[in-house]
Amino acid sequence: MAPSTALGKRVTRCRQQHRPQQGFAYVWALMLVLIMGIYLAQVGEAWQNRIQRSKEEELMRVGNEIRLAIKQYSEQNSAAGLQYPKTLQDLVQDPRVPFPRRYLRKAYKDPITGGDWLMIGGPGGGFMGVQSQSLQKPLKNDQFINENASFKDAKSYQDWRFAHWPNQGGGRK
């Protein structure tokens, strides 16, 4: 019996020596998961900013295109007085003439929300501009082109108004 008890003591001593190492590996695994979580959160935030910047660029492009289309529409047939389009579809196909006259390729949706625009009413009916429905704070807040200079330090995308103001060149706030 003596040899078997000696073997049992040796096995017990061996198990006791490995237990602290197993706990240490578990702590390292938890730290690794924590570090990966923090890293993935940073990557996710950077990705969201990249998507938002892309949507902002699209909003600028489409908004300025709509502003130009409204300007061209309102200046056409100016002998009949200043007329603004009733819908975005009027900019795609001018209903005032029997032949195809297009100012926009298509009736764009708001790039930020994916929905319809808020229309800025014009004198005599119709609309003279559009703005996003989003109350989200823009990432870009400076260094705009002249037509969009009023967008500086806007509190939301709704403050970015793309309009053709009568007797003025660009968009104002």
Side-chain angles (χ1 to χ4, degrees), residues 72-110:
Q72 292 170 345
Y73 182 97
S74 65
E75 290 174 351
Q76 200 71 34
N77 294 339
S78 58
L82 192 62
Q83 291 181 330
Y84 285 101
K86 306 283 185 233
T87 65
L88 279 177
Q89 196 60 38
D90 290 352
L91 297 173
V92 175
Q93 173 58 51
D94 192 343
R96 303 174 296 178
V97 294
F99 52 89
R101 183 184 292 160
R102 301 179 189 284
Y103 303 99
L104 282 179
R105 275 214 238 127
K106 66 179 188 172
Y108 295 103
K109 295 288 188 183
D110 175 357

Side-chain angles (χ1 to χ4, degrees), residues 126-139:
F127 70 98
M128 64 180 179
V130 294
Q131 64 192 80
S132 177
Q133 292 191 36
S134 175
L135 296 174
Q136 186 177 5
K137 184 173 175 44
L139 294 176

Side-chain angles (χ1 to χ4, degrees), residues 93-168:
Q93 173 58 51
D94 192 343
R96 303 174 296 178
V97 294
F99 52 89
R101 183 184 292 160
R102 301 179 189 284
Y103 303 99
L104 282 179
R105 275 214 238 127
K106 66 179 188 172
Y108 295 103
K109 295 288 188 183
D110 175 357
I112 302 294
T113 65
D116 292 330
W117 297 90
L118 288 175
M119 301 296 186
I120 301 169
F127 70 98
M128 64 180 179
V130 294
Q131 64 192 80
S132 177
Q133 292 191 36
S134 175
L135 296 174
Q136 186 177 5
K137 184 173 175 44
L139 294 176
K140 183 173 180 155
N141 59 14
D142 201 1
Q143 298 180 352
F144 293 98
I145 60 173
N146 288 342
E147 292 84 15
N148 301 334
S150 65
F151 298 176
K152 183 176 180 179
D153 299 324
K155 292 181 179 27
S156 73
Y157 289 116
Q158 215 171 65
D159 295 335
W160 289 12
R161 294 181 178 100
F162 300 93
H164 171 63
W165 304 94
N167 303 322
Q168 291 187 346

Side-chain angles (χ1 to χ4, degrees), residues 5-30:
T5 51
L7 181 63
K9 286 182 184 179
R10 231 184 292 160
V11 168
T12 305
R13 198 176 319 134
C14 196
R15 284 185 186 159
Q16 289 174 351
Q17 288 175 355
H18 288 292
R19 280 189 185 158
Q21 290 177 357
Q22 288 174 348
F24 190 68
Y26 181 69
V27 170
W28 271 108
L30 285 176

Side-chain angles (χ1 to χ4, degrees), residues 49-66:
N49 283 344
R50 177 180 242 169
I51 290 170
Q52 187 174 350
R53 284 196 194 286
S54 173
K55 286 181 178 181
E56 275 185 9
E57 289 172 9
E58 183 70 5
L59 178 64
M60 287 287 197
R61 186 188 67 75
V62 169
N64 286 325
E65 193 172 324
I66 291 172

